[in-house]
Amino acid sequence: MTSRSHQRQFEILLHEHRGIVFKVASVYAVSAADRDDLAQEICVQLWRSFGHYDERRAKFSTWMYRIALNVAISQLRRRKTSLDSRVEPLDEHHLDSIGGGQVIAETDERLAAMYACIGQLDPLHRALILLYLEDRSYAEIADVLGISETNVATKINRIKQKLRGQMTAPAPTGA
């Protein structure tokens, strides 16, 4: 494959699966500028790694999630250690970009609350629930994250219980 056709193949695949980049950046970045930087860094790393992509070993989307999540989690860890900053929970201004530009109704308070809870999860659990909400199979989630299917199932069930508990907990009353 020529260098030009290799580049073109990458551009086509990236365009077809660009929603993955936006979803991961939306879940792991704090501000719009951070989301843009993270999306750009993900794309750079995807390009750098594209020569090693083997379609016989994994679907492109699985490979792409693996790269994107590794970049996001690494960047989050660097930011935490260098700036000692906290991850901002997802709120309504984040929700518009989840889904690669698909608008989520701002009036759905339960959905906003759920995404706020997801935003407070640690990076691995955020990745798990993101992939689960994308209807990825446990096998694919395990492949992306490098853990067993049993571990995926156990962790997802625990996350769902935790989120369910947070969503059904009565709101604190004012004093």
Side-chain angles (χ1 to χ4, degrees), residues 35 61-62 76 82 116 161:
R35 282 191 300 278
S61 60
T62 301
L76 182 64
S82 67
Q161 287 176 343

Side-chain angles (χ1 to χ4, degrees), residues 78-96:
R78 277 193 308 272
R79 189 179 311 123
K80 279 188 172 188
T81 57
S82 67
L83 301 175
D84 196 33
S85 64
R86 294 184 324 136
V87 175
E88 176 183 338
L90 293 174
D91 60 23
E92 290 172 13
H93 76 273
H94 294 107
L95 295 178
D96 288 338

Side-chain angles (χ1 to χ4, degrees), residues 30-167:
V30 177
S31 68
D34 289 341
R35 282 191 300 278
D36 291 345
D37 289 347
L38 179 55
Q40 183 176 2
E41 182 63 24
I42 290 169
C43 290
V44 167
Q45 291 304 322
L46 286 167
W47 172 245
R48 286 181 179 160
S49 302
F50 188 63
H52 302 288
Y53 169 63
D54 182 356
E55 63 189 35
R56 295 169 295 185
R57 293 184 56 188
K59 293 189 309 186
F60 184 78
S61 60
T62 301
W63 176 82
M64 188 175 192
Y65 261 120
R66 188 179 303 129
I67 301 286
L69 290 167
N70 283 333
V71 170
I73 291 169
S74 294
Q75 194 172 80
L76 182 64
R77 286 180 182 148
R78 277 193 308 272
R79 189 179 311 123
K80 279 188 172 188
T81 57
S82 67
L83 301 175
D84 196 33
S85 64
R86 294 184 324 136
V87 175
E88 176 183 338
L90 293 174
D91 60 23
E92 290 172 13
H93 76 273
H94 294 107
L95 295 178
D96 288 338
S97 57
I98 294 175
Q102 298 173 354
V103 178
I104 298 173
E106 292 180 12
T107 57
D108 190 344
E109 292 178 17
R110 288 187 53 79
L111 185 60
M114 182 185 73
Y115 277 106
C117 292
I118 290 170
Q120 295 174 4
L121 296 172
D122 66 68
L124 174 63
H125 290 146
R126 243 184 285 171
L128 277 161
I129 203 69
L130 173 68
L131 293 166
Y132 173 78
L133 292 173
E134 283 284 307
D135 290 325
R136 302 294 174 166
S137 69
Y138 285 4
E140 188 173 358
I141 294 170
D143 189 32
V144 168
L145 298 176
I147 60 177
S148 71
E149 286 184 57
T150 304
N151 201 351
V152 168
T154 301
K155 287 182 179 296
I156 286 176
N157 284 328
R158 288 180 183 160
I159 294 167
K160 287 175 13 182
Q161 287 176 343
K162 180 179 181 176
L163 293 174
R164 193 175 299 118
Q166 290 175 334
M167 296 297 295

